[in-house]
Amino acid sequence: MTNFLNTLKYFFFFFYFSAIYNLLCIIFDVTGSIGLRESVYATFLWLIPILLFQKHAKKIAAYIGIFLWLGSLFSLNYFFLYGQEFSQSVIFIIFESNLVESTEFLKTYFQWWIIPFIAVYSFLSYYFWKKLPGIKTSSKVIYLFIVFSLLVPFHKFLELYYVEKKPYEIAVYKQMTRMQASTPWNIVLGYVNYKNDLNQMEKLLERNSTLKPVENLKDNYKDEASTLILVLGESTNRNRMGIYGYSRDTTPNLDKIKNDLILFDNVYSSRPYTIEVLQQALSFADEKNPNLYLNKPNLINIMKQAGYSTYWITNQQTQTKRNTMLTTFSKMCDNQIYLNNNQKQNSYSYDEVVLEPFKNVLADTKVKKKFIVVHLLGTHNKYEYRYPKDFAVFDNYRIDDNRLNDREKKYYNDYDNAVFYNDYVVSKIIEDAKNSKDSTALLYLSDHGEEVFDNKNVKKLGRNEDAPTLSMYSIPFIIYQNSVFKEKIKDFKSLKKYTNREYSSSDLIYTFTDLAGLNFKEFDSSRSVINEKFSEKPVLIGDPSNKNKLRDIKDIRNL
């Protein structure tokens, strides 16, 4: 009995590192008790090395404890910062970020009170370890314990695979999903899923060229030299843009040419994360069919099929040696221009670096038809790194919001400075499009928005899919055509009557191909916001892998 109780003390020591986080989620009504229950099951695995090497039990427990302590800090800190679960999407973002990005994130969201909490949490783990007793169990009992410690955590796999005769892949997937509730399996298995997704993207690249093209493709502009431009912004909330009615003059350059722009004021992103947005916006995927980007042609494929030379000009921190999901899309183009290959997203890579290569591509008279994607850093956090000092025009602006401390007010003003600089870059791109001798049309949108203390009901900064606000999804959506395009191809001036339509950027592929004058069997005119046959439908946001969490954008208007 004594040996059983001693072994139980080791169990509770290991369980401690998962229990605190799961208990906090239950206490603050973030989630139910399933995570806590699954953590209990998974904890049994750590008893196996203790039982096998009883003489060194306490030393082994120390090593395991350090490993669990480090893993638990991720979920605990995320809970403190957001009051939400440490989700799979968050884990993907961690692995897609480099060390400096993560450091910038911590600097932005860090709260002083986290330090004493973590100190107490760490001290208690050390205290519990010091109290661990020695154990001495007979061989027969050891084997029984080990069998039990294997059966309990893997019971779901055994049940599905051996009892219900489910396919091996499904049983493994369900088993992994259950174990991710506990430390450190949330990180370990999250990384496994991340690598699986990257491998899937690599396979997508390999088979992309062999995908069946869209059927019955017709190009209404086939006899004209035309340039189609897609400008992808980053983290820009349209409600912080003066041209959209914001009280501060954050977009003076776009305001000057407002009459030449078609300004859509009711467009939203489907997700608050870049990769997930682009998987939908650049393909036929959407919230109800999130995996269609894997097995159907995307926008780049279609433009190439229509005879366009394709270009991807980016100031995003896309390391060409690192096969990330973002580089996958860029590598599908004929030409790539990577402008930010530094180890960090720093102040030395402002978005104006895209202007010269963009102008050079426009000036290339040897290419008759061009499709150009320009991917900006936009207003990505950390905001103060997104603009030169000359554009820090709002540094001393007063903010009458008693909720915000001085640091938070600085974030607020830094964000507006970033929007101000973004206006300069986007307007310069439009100016070059205006001066192009070819028929040129441009569509600018941001991948998603950003909450920078805009919501008056709750103080938030950044993006969090589990606790959405309207600012995280509200994006600019602007169309421009130069005079040559209007004269030789089509004047879209009549589209201004459509600018109040509620629309999701997940349907971008239909609008852009409509703008390009392309028609094909898979084209759905009801999903193009510039088409007279457009049919307004609910704008869904949320993680499509969890259908129960999908919601209409209208549901968060007052959040």
Side-chain angles (χ1 to χ4, degrees), residues 501-546:
R501 289 173 163 177
E502 194 167 82
Y503 187 66
S504 171
S505 65
S506 63
D507 282 343
L508 175 69
I509 192 170
Y510 302 100
T511 295
F512 198 88
T513 51
D514 205 0
L515 177 67
L518 302 179
N519 206 337
F520 44 93
K521 182 180 178 180
E522 296 87 347
F523 177 75
D524 186 349
S525 58
S526 71
R527 299 176 72 171
S528 166
V529 75
I530 64 174
N531 198 290
E532 62 181 358
K533 296 180 180 179
F534 173 76
S535 176
E536 196 168 283
K537 60 183 185 299
V539 173
L540 297 178
I541 62 169
D543 184 353
S545 66
N546 189 341

Side-chain angles (χ1 to χ4, degrees), residues 192-209:
V192 171
N193 286 334
Y194 168 74
K195 292 299 292 184
N196 286 339
D197 271 24
L198 281 186
N199 290 334
Q200 196 172 40
M201 291 301 290
E202 289 176 358
K203 291 177 181 177
L204 173 61
L205 261 181
E206 292 175 3
R207 71 171 184 254
N208 184 257
S209 59

